[in-house]
Amino acid sequence: MQTYSRVADLRQALQKARSQGEKIAFVPTMGNLHDGHLALMRAARSYASTVVASIFVNRLQFGPGEDFERYPRTLAEDREKLASVGVHALFAPDEGEFYPEPQSYFVDPPELQHLLEGEFRPGHFRGVATVVLKLFNAVQPDVAVFGKKDYQQLMLIRAMTRQLMLPIEIIGFDTVRAEDGLALSSRNAYLSAAERAEAPRLFCALCELREAILCNGTQNIEELAAAARKNLDRNGWKTDYLSVRQQSDLRVLSQSSGQQKLVIVAAARLGSTRLIDNLEI
Ligand code: PAF
């Protein structure tokens, strides 16, 4: 596996691959890779002959007081993991290469950016959309693979790709979980042993709520969600949101919306660690 830190070198190498008829699949990450990321890499291999991963901790998507500084940076281990699952090229620029001048042009996503995650992390999705568009421009992939754990992110990237007419197929890949149900995330590394033991309760709450909705229908959806939030908060969590939304636009189910596909989305803090998860119904 080749590692490229400069955009020009990456472009040259990928240009050569393309001229030899290779199709390119891309998996962007912020590093500190776990089995969930590696599953995305393996999935990417089934879509194209060349798989490119990126590792870049993107300052633009972190708010003041968030974990940009302490976000785990583990490039040497990450490279070994990527090579072990057959990734062909890693793009790992430093900040000076990726943002050679202060970024003053942004991708400003629509209203969806202000819901849910956006309410608690203002500006987050503007930072994500901007970096993803830049990464797409650097790599120019045919296919890009994203985890469904970041449900809202995936929706925004799909819409951006469609509206800006980027010739890239976006693939959403199912969340990979530990045996006890906890969604794999780089931020799980922040959990103490006691918090790690408590952490699966988040996914449990989503599963129980889904069960209740499947049994009782959607009439008292708000009370059911409120009970799930209370249950988490009683067990030491601080729930930012736990809400049942329409899969199509992540808005609350309205009377007039008829038979909509639903998704339960949640973000909650355990100590200083903020975890997110979701479950489609
Ligand atoms: O999901 C992530 O790891 C990041 O938001 C992404 C897509 C790599 C952009 O920095």
Side-chain angles (χ1 to χ4, degrees), residues 51-125:
V51 174
V52 179
S54 67
I55 293 180
F56 181 65
V57 184
N58 172 38
R59 185 187 289 276
L60 290 188
Q61 70 190 73
F62 289 79
E66 290 189 352
D67 55 346
F68 174 73
E69 299 298 343
R70 71 165 177 145
Y71 200 87
R73 285 146 172 97
T74 51
L75 187 59
E77 292 94 314
D78 290 347
R79 284 178 50 166
E80 279 179 24
K81 289 179 187 171
L82 291 173
S84 78
V85 292
V87 168
H88 302 90
L90 167 64
F91 177 47
D94 63 19
E95 278 208 283
E97 174 70 11
F98 207 68
Y99 294 124
E101 54 187 298
Q103 188 74 23
S104 52
Y105 285 79
F106 294 92
V107 179
D108 197 17
E111 192 49 32
L112 175 58
Q113 71 160 316
H114 303 301
L115 305 181
L116 299 166
E117 278 301 279
E119 202 184 320
F120 292 88
R121 307 185 66 189
H124 170 67
F125 287 120

Side-chain angles (χ1 to χ4, degrees), residues 28-30 37 56 58 61 124 128 131-132 135 146 150 153 157:
T29 81
M30 297 202 299
H37 292 114
F56 181 65
N58 172 38
Q61 70 190 73
H124 170 67
V128 169
V131 80
V132 169
L135 288 165
F146 292 84
D150 296 295
Q153 167 174 286
I157 289 168

Side-chain angles (χ1 to χ4, degrees), residues 125-171:
F125 287 120
R126 189 172 90 135
V128 169
T130 303
V131 80
V132 169
L133 182 62
K134 287 186 71 151
L135 288 165
F136 281 176
N137 282 333
V139 177
Q140 298 180 15
D142 299 283
V143 176
V145 184
F146 292 84
K148 278 188 170 182
K149 184 172 84 69
D150 296 295
Y151 203 87
Q152 198 173 355
Q153 167 174 286
L154 175 61
M155 279 184 78
L156 282 159
I157 289 168
R158 273 194 203 288
M160 173 183 84
T161 304
R162 199 174 56 238
Q163 287 199 12
L164 298 182
M165 295 182 176
L166 307 177
I168 303 170
E169 185 187 355
I170 304 295
I171 307 292

